[in-house]
Amino acid sequence: MNGVDSELVNEARELLGRAGGVVVLTGAGISADSGLATFRSADGWWKNHRPEDLATPQAFARDPRLVWEWYGLRRAAATESSPNAAHLSLARWAIDRDDVTIVTQNVDGLHTRAAESAAQNLGRQDLAGARPLELHGCLFRVRCTACEKRAAHHDPIDATSLETLPTCGSCGRMVRPDVIWFGEPLGPEIGQAFTLAQEAELCLVVGTSAVVQPAASIATVVRQGGGQVIEVNPEPTPLTPLAAVSFRAGAADMVPQLLD
Ligand code: NAD
Ligand code: ZN
């Protein structure tokens, strides 16, 4: 187990500097420093429901109002939070280099907000690689349960009754959060992420417990292709044994030390 010693920081900075093709894989831990709870933390419970019981198509079919109430609270929490130093440092780095892609399991939109603010500060029009591949969707998009139409949706959710839930702009039927629920297939982003992983020389893994597949395998694929893995997480994970350097530290503290 590694503390945060400066020699390791230098080693990691050197690996990051010379690697061509970098995939950054992030999870809920990167947003913990923005005040958003991870799923598996003790406060990742709500009204005696586990996320695993709410984030399913069955839960939505049974009680859409309850599921929307929970997503409304998560959206409000994400709206009230801000990208932290780790999101911002990653966004600047990915805009600066043209061979970095951020792949996230998070649905909180904080990587996108960091990318927008970094691009603005750097006077850049495009978000480049700082625009994240969102493997599990986004809290700020909805998808129609009837016609499948997707749309951005940022307004607060009124989950007082079925009638107040958001509806489709095209057909008027009920919409659902445009996120991937347990048991649902991932979108095309996962294929793009694996293609990038096959070419990448390095995978920087930040704040994921690496137990949700296939996302965690992105790092394994990079390693199998001869690339290096660097990890930032206060706890060891199943990816720790693969990592050339693993930092037992928080994201907002550690990521800027590696990239700025
Ligand atoms: P997870 O809750 O399983 O794991 C979070 C990891 O972050 C843990 O390994 C923990 O040790 C680490 N961590 C805690 N504080 C940290 C910090 N300050 N800096 C760095 N790491 C820290 O989350 P996961 O691995 O992303 O996977 C679970 C699923 O949870 C995903 O499907 C994701 O969609 C969903 N989720 C997303 C959000 C979000 O969008 N913010 C929040 C909760 C859950
Ligand atoms: Zn519709």
Side-chain angles (χ1 to χ4, degrees), residues 83-138:
N84 64 53
H87 297 106
L88 292 167
S89 162
L90 275 171
R92 278 193 299 271
W93 192 61
I95 289 175
D96 238 21
R97 292 174 57 142
D98 58 4
D99 59 353
V100 173
T101 309
I102 298 171
V103 178
T104 189
Q105 301 164 86
N106 295 348
V107 294
D108 55 32
L110 289 180
H111 281 300
T112 304
R113 283 168 60 194
E116 286 164 357
S117 114
Q120 195 176 25
N121 287 340
L122 295 166
R124 292 273 293 257
Q125 299 301 321
D126 66 310
L127 306 186
R131 182 186 299 288
L133 283 178
E134 295 175 315
L135 298 180
H136 295 160
C138 179

Side-chain angles (χ1 to χ4, degrees), residues 27-29 31-33 37-40 74 105-108 136 207-210 212 232-235 250-251:
S31 297
D33 291 327
T38 61
F39 267 9
R40 286 164 187 79
R74 292 185 63 195
Q105 301 164 86
N106 295 348
V107 294
D108 55 32
H136 295 160
T208 175
S209 58
V212 176
V232 177
N233 195 313
E235 306 288 337

Side-chain angles (χ1 to χ4, degrees), residues 181-240:
W181 284 330
F182 291 98
E184 294 186 317
L186 298 183
E189 294 82 6
I190 188 69
Q192 296 167 27
F194 274 114
T195 302
L196 290 163
Q198 278 157 8
E199 315 267 291
E201 290 178 6
L202 195 142
C203 186
L204 173 61
V205 185
V206 184
T208 175
S209 58
V211 295
V212 176
Q213 292 295 354
S217 315
I218 290 169
T220 318
V221 167
V222 174
R223 187 72 198 96
Q224 281 165 350
Q228 302 286 357
V229 174
I230 295 174
E231 179 180 60
V232 177
N233 195 313
E235 306 288 337
T237 77
L239 294 177
T240 304

Side-chain angles (χ1 to χ4, degrees), residues 143-150 167-175:
R143 172 152 51 98
C144 180
T145 54
C147 76
E148 297 280 309
K149 185 180 170 354
R150 289 185 155 83
T167 53
C168 176
S170 289
C171 75
R173 302 281 291 276
M174 190 187 293
V175 293

